[in-house]
Amino acid sequence: MTSALDERVKLYESDLAADRQRSVFVSGQVPVGVYGLGKMGLPLAAVYAETTGNVAGVDVDPEVVRSVNRGENPIQGEPGLDSLVRENVVEGALEAFTDGESVAEDVSIHVVIVPTLVDDDDKPDLSVVKSVAADIAAGLERGDMVVFESTLPPRSCRDELLPLLEDRSGLDRSEFGLAFCPERTSSGRALRDVRGAYPKVVGGIDGESTRVAELIYGELTNNDVIPVADATTAEAVKVFEGVYRDVNIALANELGRHADELGIDVVDAIEAANTQPFCEIHTPGAGVGGHCIPYYPHFLIQRFETPSHLMETARETNEMMPLYTTELALNGLREAGVPPSEADVAVLGLTYRPGIAEIRSTPALPIVEHLNDVGADVTAVDPVLDDYTAFEDVGATVESVTRLEDHTFDAVVLVTPQDAFASVDVRSLRRPGGQLLVVDGRQEFTHLRDAVDVDYRGVGLHD
C-alpha cells in the first residue's frame, strides 16, 4: 500500500466537504481493497488503481497474485488490461495479496467481486461471498465502506451480509457503510465497461452508504451514476437484467421452433418485427451459456416463495435448446439413411461465446454428450479454447481448425461462430460423392442453404 496508516481518510460519515472527499479519494489517501482478481475483478482493480493510485488486490490463487505482482496480466482476451496492470504495478498503484484479513486491516474501502455460486439443486450459494465478508469484518473499522459488486440474490446485503459484518467486526451498522453496485461488464470488453460503457447503479443500506458509493463511482466512471432506493433495489437491478435476457431468448427460441410448421424463416420475421421500436426480440440459437444468464433467474426462483412460472418456463426452454439442436442433427442423419451410431459428426465452437475461452454452461457440452450417447463419433473443434478436458471426458476427439479439412464427416453442427471458421471450406468436409448435413445453431452458414451437396438445417430457419 502506498499510504501510511496514519494518512488514511474515511469517507463514511466524513466531516470533509464533498469536493474534498473526492480529492482525497483520487489522491490515494483512501486505500482500496478489491477482493477477487478474476475475469471481472482484475479489470475493476486496475481501474480503481488508475483512479486512486492505491489499491490492494486479493485473490485466493497464489499464482494470480504472483503474476499481478510481476506486472503480468493472467486474464486473456481483455484489450488494454496487459498494459494497465503493468503500469499500475510499476507505479506502485496496485499490489496483490492472498491474505484478505491483512488487507482488510489496511484499507478503508472494501470492494468485493467474487463469484456467487449455484449448487447442484440450482440454489444460490453465497459461501464464497460470505467468506470474503468475514475476512473484511476482521479488519473493518469505523468509517470504512464496503461495496459488493458480486451478483447477489436480492436482500442478501440487508439480511445476510450486513449482520455478518456487524457480528464479526463488533461494529454497529451505523459505524460503517455498505452498498451494492452491480457489476455490468462482459468478457472481452471489461475495461471499457468499467470505465463507463453503461451507467453505474448504486444502492446502500442507508442514505450515507448510497452517498459514498455515488461519490466513489462518480470518480471511477465516465458515465452517469444512478442512485437507487437501497441495496436490495440495486441487487434486483442486476438480477432483473439477466432474467430479462433469459426470458427474451427463451421467447426467441420458442418462436424459432415454430419455423417448419409456419413454413417461414422465423429469424427473418423477428428481424422485421424488431424494426418496430417497441419490439426487441433476441435471436434463436443452440442454447444459452456463460456465468450469468443461466444462473441469475435462480436467484429469484429458488430464493423466494412467490411463484416464478415465467422465469421457470424460460429456463426450461433455454435448457432444452442443446437437445433440440442435437435432434435436428439426428433427424437429418436418419433421413439420409445414416444411423446415428455410425455417424461422424463435427461440433464447431465449444465456448459459450465467440472469442471468449470459457465453457461454463456452454450448450456445446450437452450437444457433444447427446451425440456421444447415441454412439456417434464426435470431433470437437474450437480455435479459442485451450483446455478440452470436459469434452474429451464425454467422448469427443479434439481437432484443430487448421486440420479440420483433413477429415470428412456425415454432419457438422455449429454451436458458437468463432471467427476462424470463416476460413473453413465446410462443403469440403462431406463424404466423397455424398451430402453433408449442416446444422447451424447460429445462422452463420446460411450461404450453404442452396448448395446441392449440403442438407442445411438452421435453428429458427425453415427447412
Side-chain angles (χ1 to χ4, degrees):
M1 304 297 292
T2 60
S3 293
L5 294 183
D6 57 4
E7 295 176 341
R8 286 164 56 191
V9 177
K10 308 288 188 178
L11 297 183
Y12 184 81
E13 296 289 2
S14 172
D15 293 331
L16 298 176
D19 287 347
R20 179 59 181 156
Q21 290 182 50
R22 285 190 285 269
S23 176
V24 296
F25 174 64
V26 299
S27 73
Q29 292 178 264
V30 188
V32 178
V34 177
Y35 303 79
L37 299 178
K39 293 183 178 181
M40 300 296 114
L42 184 56
L44 180 66
V47 174
Y48 260 103
E50 76 171 346
T51 303
T52 71
N54 192 3
V55 170
V58 181
D59 201 274
V60 295
D61 187 338
E63 185 51 43
V64 168
V65 169
R66 285 191 289 268
S67 294
V68 171
N69 288 335
R70 290 193 299 264
E72 299 171 0
N73 166 32
I75 309 299
Q76 307 239 336
E78 288 296 344
L81 188 57
D82 287 355
S83 58
L84 187 59
V85 169
R86 182 172 59 252
E87 292 165 7
N88 281 325
V89 171
V90 169
E91 293 171 4
L94 174 63
E95 188 175 0
F97 304 85
T98 56
D99 189 344
E101 290 190 13
S102 295
V103 167
E105 294 175 357
D106 292 345
V107 302
S108 299
I109 296 174
H110 311 261
V111 183
V112 181
I113 184 165
V114 296
T116 306
L117 306 176
V118 176
D119 65 19
D120 292 340
D121 296 321
D122 291 327
K123 294 181 179 178
D125 177 1
L126 302 185
S127 58
V128 176
V129 175
K130 288 182 176 180
S131 176
V132 173
D135 286 347
I136 292 171
L140 197 65
E141 295 182 355
R142 183 184 180 94
D144 278 3
M145 183 72 192
V146 184
V147 180
F148 287 92
E149 285 211 13
S150 303
T151 303
L152 300 172
R155 293 180 53 165
S156 295
C157 282
R158 188 187 78 177
D159 293 349
E160 298 190 49
L161 298 174
L162 176 60
L164 186 156
L165 290 168
E166 286 183 294
D167 180 63
R168 299 290 183 92
S169 70
L171 297 174
D172 182 76
R173 63 180 298 169
S174 64
E175 296 180 290
F176 63 92
L178 171 59
F180 185 80
C181 176
E183 167 262 307
R184 306 179 98 183
T185 55
S186 297
S187 295
R189 48 173 291 163
L191 288 181
R192 180 171 56 166
D193 290 348
V194 173
R195 286 168 170 156
Y198 315 106
K200 297 297 291 185
V201 176
V202 296
I205 58 159
D206 54 32
E208 176 66 2
S209 295
T210 302
R211 182 197 70 80
V212 175
E214 187 177 5
L215 183 149
I216 291 169
Y217 283 93
E219 298 302 317
L220 218 66
T221 180
N222 297 319
N223 210 315
D224 295 333
V225 179
I226 302 174
V228 294
D230 50 32
T232 301
T233 304
E235 291 166 333
V237 167
K238 180 58 184 287
V239 175
F240 287 4
E241 290 172 358
V243 167
Y244 163 78
R245 293 180 66 193
D246 198 42
V247 171
N248 195 318
I249 293 168
L251 170 62
N253 285 333
E254 186 162 291
L255 293 174
R257 292 169 62 177
H258 284 72
D260 286 340
E261 285 189 89
L262 292 171
I264 65 170
D265 285 348
V266 168
V267 171
D268 288 348
I270 288 174
E271 289 178 356
N274 285 347
T275 61
Q276 215 280 355
F278 301 109
C279 188
E280 297 180 8
I281 305 173
H282 285 264
T283 304
V288 180
H291 58 275
C292 299
I293 297 175
Y295 298 97
Y296 295 164
H298 294 294
F299 289 10
L300 296 173
I301 295 171
Q302 299 283 3
R303 188 86 164 177
F304 300 102
E305 294 182 1
T306 302
S308 303
H309 303 308
L310 178 61
M311 288 181 277
E312 291 176 11
T313 300
R315 270 289 75 229
E316 292 170 1
T317 298
N318 288 334
E319 287 175 354
M320 286 180 61
M321 289 309 293
L323 179 59
Y324 172 78
T325 304
T326 307
E327 287 298 325
L328 287 179
L330 297 179
N331 290 338
L333 289 168
R334 294 185 187 106
E335 290 172 17
V338 179
S341 60
E342 299 176 11
D344 288 317
V345 182
V347 175
L348 307 186
L350 309 179
T351 64
Y352 85 92
R353 208 179 106 196
I356 304 299
E358 184 175 330
I359 63 168
R360 190 171 182 185
S361 288
T362 177
L365 190 58
I367 287 173
V368 170
E369 286 185 286
H370 292 322
L371 291 169
N372 183 69
D373 286 345
V374 298
D377 288 330
V378 182
T379 299
V381 185
D382 194 290
V384 175
L385 198 61
D386 52 12
D387 183 357
Y388 302 89
T389 305
F391 296 91
E392 293 170 332
D393 287 346
V394 294
T397 299
V398 175
E399 185 56 278
S400 66
V401 174
T402 56
R403 298 193 58 184
L404 183 59
E405 293 178 31
D406 295 340
H407 305 269
T408 59
F409 301 93
D410 299 297
V412 170
V413 179
L414 177 76
V415 182
T416 304
Q418 308 291 12
D419 288 345
F421 296 147
S423 64
V424 176
D425 180 4
V426 178
R427 294 172 65 184
S428 73
L429 303 180
R430 67 187 177 91
R431 302 289 195 198
Q435 191 177 51
L436 178 69
L437 171 65
V438 174
V439 175
D440 190 352
R442 302 296 175 185
Q443 305 89 39
E444 286 292 313
F445 291 156
T446 53
H447 61 282
L448 298 174
R449 294 184 79 172
D450 297 326
V452 295
D453 49 6
V454 170
D455 176 10
Y456 178 91
R457 305 185 180 208
V459 174
L461 302 176
H462 174 47
D463 187 7

